[in-house]
Amino acid sequence: MELNGIILTFAGIVGVQIIYWLVWLIGVLRLKETALFNGKNGISVVIAANNEHENLQKNMPAILTQDYTNYEVIVVDDRSSDGSYEYLLELAKEYKHLKVLSVSELPDHLNGKKYALTLGIKTAQHDQIVLTDADCAPESKNWIGSFAASWSENTSFVLGFSQYQRKPGLLNYFIRFETLLSGIQYMAAAAIGKPYMGVGRNLSYSKTLFLSKKGFHGYQNLVGGDDDLFVNKHANGANTKLVVGPESLTTSTPKTTWKEYLHQKTRHLSVGKHYSAKSKIILFIFTLTWILTWVLLPTLFLYTHEFLLPGIVFAFRIVLMGVTFKVFSQRTGGKLGILGLILLDIMFAVYYFVTGIRALLTKRIKWK
């Protein structure tokens, strides 16, 4: 490829990135903090737990003491062997709005978490189901109230944001960056009327819709997809709302080793193979142009001193990224210092290339 061709190709690829970031920024700017509401409509919080004794001890009190008048909490213990079930039974004696279910045997060809969630949702008294994980805790006593405020007669989905705890180290910094990036994408898409996923750590959907669509039918054997695949298949601009702001935020426990984190992300990305064709194309082009940006940039430094056009478009992309992250952090309550943005930018390109290949090649993935 001739030198001018490399420059124009680089500018074109980064130009595609700029278009994406402009769309994400437009969506993020539409995010408005949710007003609090302590209404009478009932809410059922459903949690699936597999050997989560320590996390349940740490996080259940915040979930069980919400400032909301009409809600229940259903925890489904999925074949735990660490005393989780016994702890939950003792906790239920103190909190009468806690229901404890137990899975002792898993039916063939069913994923454990999906089966546990299905039992919990079928048991729920209320139509609005709020989902979170055992290793998550709400940041506010108004967490449930914020979901109630976002619900109306025509609502089937409410998407929230969930961050990870801040801890020392590069891994934690990258985890929080990648989590914010994911939040920017799916919340911005929903804000412009094109929802395509949510995260089960902070998500609400209708029991009526769940049962009418036969739950997780069609992907009940997959590890993952109880959140993003269900949203991808059934959410649209008319039936989906967002819950935004620090009151609606949940915080999760991050992985502490690269091996654990890459396994987790490989599991998440493997589910993406089952997204709608439109969603896969949009996300693939975004990620591919991101990776190619960092493949071609060193080539320019090696073969040319003509940096004006490449430098302008690349700098504009970085500025757009920084502004989008900043605005999203302010509106959702998520926190991330962006001084290391270029380092994170490079790391994401490498990370996605590696995990993307792993997700394509991995045949069998476990929940834990």
Side-chain angles (χ1 to χ4, degrees):
M1 185 182 293
E2 294 183 357
L3 183 58
N4 288 338
I6 295 175
I7 293 174
L8 291 176
T9 300
F10 177 80
I13 288 171
V14 179
V16 173
Q17 280 278 295
I18 288 171
I19 292 171
Y20 272 94
W21 281 107
L22 284 171
V23 172
W24 301 144
L25 180 57
I26 289 169
V28 166
L29 288 170
R30 293 185 181 183
L31 300 179
K32 305 298 180 184
E33 187 167 336
T34 306
L36 298 181
F37 171 67
N38 192 4
K40 295 181 180 179
N41 52 308
I43 290 181
S44 297
V45 178
V46 178
I47 301 168
N50 173 254
N51 288 325
E52 297 278 9
H53 188 198
E54 184 177 343
N55 283 323
L56 290 168
Q57 284 184 310
K58 182 172 62 176
N59 298 325
M60 286 302 295
I63 295 172
L64 291 166
T65 57
Q66 289 284 298
D67 288 339
Y68 195 76
T69 55
N70 186 17
Y71 79 103
E72 63 176 351
V73 179
I74 302 170
V75 183
V76 186
D77 178 71
D78 178 24
R79 298 162 295 155
S80 295
S81 57
D82 65 346
S84 294
Y85 182 60
E86 291 75 15
Y87 167 73
L88 289 167
L89 291 178
E90 288 299 313
L91 200 62
K93 294 177 182 178
E94 180 180 357
Y95 297 97
K96 301 306 179 184
H97 57 301
L98 171 62
K99 295 180 181 179
V100 183
L101 305 178
S102 177
V103 175
S104 56
E105 292 186 12
L106 184 64
D108 291 338
H109 311 300
L110 288 179
N111 168 258
K113 186 177 183 182
K114 288 192 183 69
Y115 183 62
L117 288 176
T118 299
L119 288 180
I121 292 170
K122 286 183 175 180
T123 303
Q125 293 183 17
H126 309 297
D127 189 55
Q128 185 179 4
I129 307 297
V130 174
L131 301 173
T132 191
D133 286 344
D135 66 345
C136 296
E139 286 294 304
S140 164
K141 286 186 175 294
N142 296 311
W143 172 59
I144 289 179
S146 64
F147 272 95
S150 301
W151 197 262
S152 65
E153 184 178 350
N154 298 320
T155 304
S156 296
F157 294 92
V158 180
L159 313 181
F161 178 65
S162 179
Q163 66 179 357
Y164 280 102
Q165 293 173 350
R166 180 176 180 175
K167 294 186 176 182
L170 182 60
L171 172 60
N172 181 261
Y173 189 33
F174 181 76
I175 287 174
R176 291 185 292 116
F177 165 79
E178 194 272 336
T179 302
L180 277 172
L181 174 61
S182 178
I184 287 168
Q185 291 175 278
Y186 75 79
M187 294 193 78
I192 60 176
K194 305 293 181 181
Y196 72 91
M197 68 160 278
V199 293
R201 303 189 306 275
N202 206 16
L203 171 66
S204 177
Y205 49 69
S206 163
K207 175 180 178 179
T208 300
L209 177 78
F210 181 83
L211 296 178
S212 69
K213 299 299 182 181
K214 298 182 180 179
F216 305 120
H217 179 72
Y219 52 99
Q220 66 270 21
N221 61 327
L222 297 179
V223 176
D226 49 276
D227 45 12
D228 53 349
L229 267 186
F230 189 73
V231 174
N232 190 261
K233 289 182 178 295
H234 306 301
N236 56 57
N239 70 2
T240 304
K241 293 187 177 180
L242 293 163
V243 59
V244 181
E247 300 282 358
S248 66
L249 195 64
T250 64
T251 300
S252 303
T253 305
K255 301 299 182 184
T256 56
T257 69
W258 284 100
K259 181 179 179 180
E260 289 177 326
Y261 176 67
L262 289 175
H263 174 76
Q264 178 190 52
K265 300 313 295 184
T266 300
R267 186 181 76 227
H268 292 169
L269 289 177
S270 68
V271 172
K273 294 184 289 188
H274 303 277
Y275 280 13
S276 68
K278 182 179 179 181
S279 296
K280 285 192 287 189
I281 290 170
I282 291 172
L283 294 172
F284 174 75
I285 293 174
F286 177 63
T287 308
L288 178 63
T289 52
W290 190 320
I291 293 171
L292 289 177
T293 295
W294 285 103
V295 170
L296 290 177
L297 188 62
T299 306
L300 291 175
F301 278 100
L302 288 173
Y303 292 105
T304 182
H305 297 291
E306 299 178 27
F307 297 130
L308 182 59
L309 177 60
I312 289 173
V313 293
F314 182 75
F316 189 40
R317 172 184 173 273
I318 289 291
V319 170
L320 271 178
M321 282 181 61
V323 171
T324 306
F325 270 92
K326 187 71 173 178
V327 174
F328 184 77
S329 297
Q330 290 173 340
R331 306 229 167 160
T332 61
K335 297 178 177 64
L336 180 78
I338 59 173
L339 290 178
L341 189 59
I342 292 181
L343 172 62
L344 295 169
D345 194 352
I346 299 170
M347 288 179 65
F348 182 81
V350 176
Y351 143 82
Y352 215 99
F353 180 76
V354 172
T355 53
I357 292 176
R358 281 170 53 112
L360 286 172
L361 297 179
T362 302
K363 299 297 182 182
R364 183 176 178 85
I365 301 175
K366 297 181 179 180
W367 179 15
K368 289 197 175 185

